[in-house]
Amino acid sequence: MMKLAIVETKLLTREPGALFSLLIPLFILVVFGSSIEPGDTVLLPMALAIAVGLVSLYLLPTTLATYRERGILRRLSTTPVRPGNLLAVQLLLQLVLAVTACGLLMAVAGTVLGAHLPSRVLSGVLVFLVGTASMFAIGLLIAALAPNGRAANGIGVLLYFPMAYLAGLIQPMQQMPDIVAAIGEYTPLGAFGQSLRDVWAGSAPSPLLMGVMAAYALVISIAAAKFFRWE
């Protein structure tokens, strides 16, 4: 298991998508962060949600679907290293990548930009974990249904932009029609982004939105497990 983790870590560090997942949210933060007030409670949560969204909807499903397409999962089934071990390692590495991306954003925001950081640390960690679980579940479902890595990439991109729009990551929710903003708040990425904004504003995250994200994580994970194919 440890050797598998080391090999997969090396492969992940060579993957251009991993670098993009780190740099794109950071670029957005730096470009727009230079013109905001230090007490802003919107930009950094938005950048964090973007980072998790990129890992979940682009990198995770593309990697797993590509492994199945190339027969790697099928070949592993005949060795002591079972495909389930590879799946577990990939989920852990993708989580580490998401944590690294968010940690980098917060470090740059707090030191270089002088941005506001939340005082509710435990609430922030809980929101991150539940929100990431809901987004990873979607990535796993994409990997389960996509016939190959290219299709998984395309599906992830097609899902990301509507979800990012509904979550207020492309256009502020205040500028959306009320019905669209209301729907967006209860999407996985929308609930995640709003919960992060609540924490940054010094409030406790909404129990309703936390429940929404947990429900998405559970239901979609079950669907992904049902439809997932090893070959």
Side-chain angles (χ1 to χ4, degrees):
M1 190 77 169
M2 181 60 67
K3 291 182 178 179
L4 178 62
I6 293 174
V7 171
E8 289 300 310
T9 300
K10 291 180 179 179
L11 292 175
L12 183 62
T13 57
R14 298 170 185 171
E15 172 59 49
L19 185 61
F20 292 153
S21 298
L22 292 172
L23 295 183
I24 290 177
L26 183 62
F27 175 78
I28 293 172
L29 178 69
V30 171
V31 169
F32 291 99
S34 59
S35 60
I36 65 171
E37 297 294 330
D40 178 80
T41 60
V42 174
L43 181 61
L44 185 50
M46 179 184 75
L48 296 175
I50 289 173
V52 173
L54 287 174
V55 174
S56 305
L57 299 181
Y58 169 65
L59 196 57
L60 175 61
T62 301
T63 300
L64 294 180
T66 299
Y67 279 7
R68 183 177 62 241
E69 176 187 3
R70 294 177 178 175
I72 294 174
L73 299 180
R74 176 178 52 79
R75 290 196 294 270
L76 282 177
S77 64
T78 63
T79 71
V81 182
R82 294 299 178 182
N85 293 340
L86 178 62
L87 178 60
V89 168
Q90 270 297 323
L91 285 173
L92 179 59
L93 290 178
Q94 301 292 346
L95 177 60
V96 170
L97 178 61
V99 170
T100 301
C102 291
L104 179 62
L105 289 169
M106 294 185 66
V108 172
T111 57
V112 178
L113 302 177
H116 167 70
L117 298 178
S119 57
R120 293 177 174 265
V121 177
L122 292 180
S123 294
V125 172
L126 181 60
V127 168
F128 173 82
L129 292 176
V130 178
T132 301
S134 67
M135 295 302 299
F136 271 31
I138 299 173
L140 288 173
L141 183 58
I142 295 172
L145 297 176
N148 51 55
R150 182 176 298 179
N153 187 358
I155 294 171
V157 171
L158 287 176
L159 278 180
Y160 177 78
F161 286 102
M163 289 182 66
Y165 173 77
L166 290 172
L169 304 182
I170 296 176
Q171 179 179 359
M173 285 190 168
Q174 298 85 344
Q175 299 178 11
M176 296 180 185
D178 292 342
I179 183 64
V180 175
I183 293 173
E185 190 174 5
Y186 293 98
T187 61
L189 196 56
F192 185 32
Q194 182 57 52
S195 297
L196 287 173
R197 289 191 289 270
D198 289 342
V199 171
W200 252 255
S203 304
S206 165
L208 176 59
L209 294 183
M210 294 294 289
V212 166
M213 290 188 290
Y216 276 122
L218 177 61
V219 173
I220 299 177
S221 293
I222 292 174
K226 179 178 179 180
F227 292 109
F228 196 87
R229 297 168 290 109
W230 296 111
E231 56 181 305

